[in-house]
Amino acid sequence: MDRPMRRARDSYTEQVQIIMPQHVNGAQRLFGGQLMAWIDVVAAVAARRHSGRPVTTASVDELSFLNAANLDETVVLAARVTYVGRTSMEVRVDTFVERLDGRRDPVNRAYLVLVALDENGNPTQVPGLEIETEEERAEWADGERRRLLRNQRRHDGA
């Protein structure tokens, strides 16, 4: 039996936050740990939408801080599934500061790997990913490279 397929756009998720005093560090910039927590949540929602299952985060593959976000700014996190294995899903999360005029400036890009869980908390198969655009094809190829690198690091004990 072939496994079902889902589209990347069906997993798309946005989360919007206003940076409040409890979210900042001493420099009045968004605390990196807070951003990481928001990233983990939005990635989990995208993975749940794709898999239709509860999920757990297996790894944060890449987390690049591009620019700061400051107190009282609006932050938008956008997530979608970019690659799937048998039980795991790679989710790309892009974070932006949204200006009052609607312009979005990049803050962060992260790739996370999440695993779908069955009723007993064990990994379970996820739907395949239907590739619809050239951008999605490129993301899939990049996801495959990241998977191979993760496997190599695991093999090397890193």
Side-chain angles (χ1 to χ4, degrees):
M1 176 174 106
D2 291 327
R3 68 179 173 170
M5 301 290 283
R6 298 245 169 86
R7 300 173 302 187
R9 63 181 155 153
D10 294 333
S11 69
Y12 183 80
T13 304
E14 268 192 9
Q15 181 187 74
V16 181
Q17 301 283 341
I18 295 175
I19 301 174
M20 303 290 194
Q22 67 268 25
H23 303 139
V24 299
N25 60 24
Q28 302 302 298
R29 293 185 177 140
L30 178 59
F31 177 58
Q34 177 63 66
L35 179 57
M36 290 171 60
W38 288 341
I39 288 168
D40 195 32
V41 169
V42 75
V45 172
R48 290 165 63 113
R49 286 181 172 172
H50 180 81
S51 66
R53 307 292 309 180
V55 298
T56 189
T57 303
S59 69
V60 178
D61 207 41
E62 184 180 322
L63 188 64
S64 303
F65 291 92
L66 308 171
N67 295 296
N70 301 297
L71 181 65
D72 200 37
E73 290 185 321
T74 301
V75 174
V76 178
L77 299 97
R80 64 184 165 86
V81 172
T82 56
Y83 179 84
V84 299
R86 191 177 69 75
T87 63
S88 64
M89 297 152 283
E90 180 187 80
V91 178
R92 173 180 157 177
V93 180
D94 290 298
T95 305
F96 306 92
V97 169
E98 186 176 85
R99 306 297 174 196
L100 295 177
D101 65 5
R103 187 181 82 242
R104 289 184 176 183
D105 296 325
V107 171
N108 179 281
R109 174 166 293 161
Y111 288 91
L112 294 84
V113 176
L114 294 98
V115 175
L117 303 174
D118 67 12
E119 300 77 18
N120 299 313
N122 297 313
T124 190
Q125 186 170 312
V126 300
L129 188 64
E130 185 177 324
I131 304 299
E132 297 182 300
T133 68
E134 286 306 312
E135 179 185 0
E136 290 172 1
R137 191 173 322 287
E139 279 284 4
W140 179 273
D142 290 344
E144 178 67 16
R145 282 191 285 278
R146 282 186 290 273
R147 184 187 66 80
L148 293 171
L149 286 170
R150 279 191 302 276
N151 289 344
Q152 186 61 47
R153 283 192 307 260
R154 195 169 26 251
H155 180 266
D156 293 345

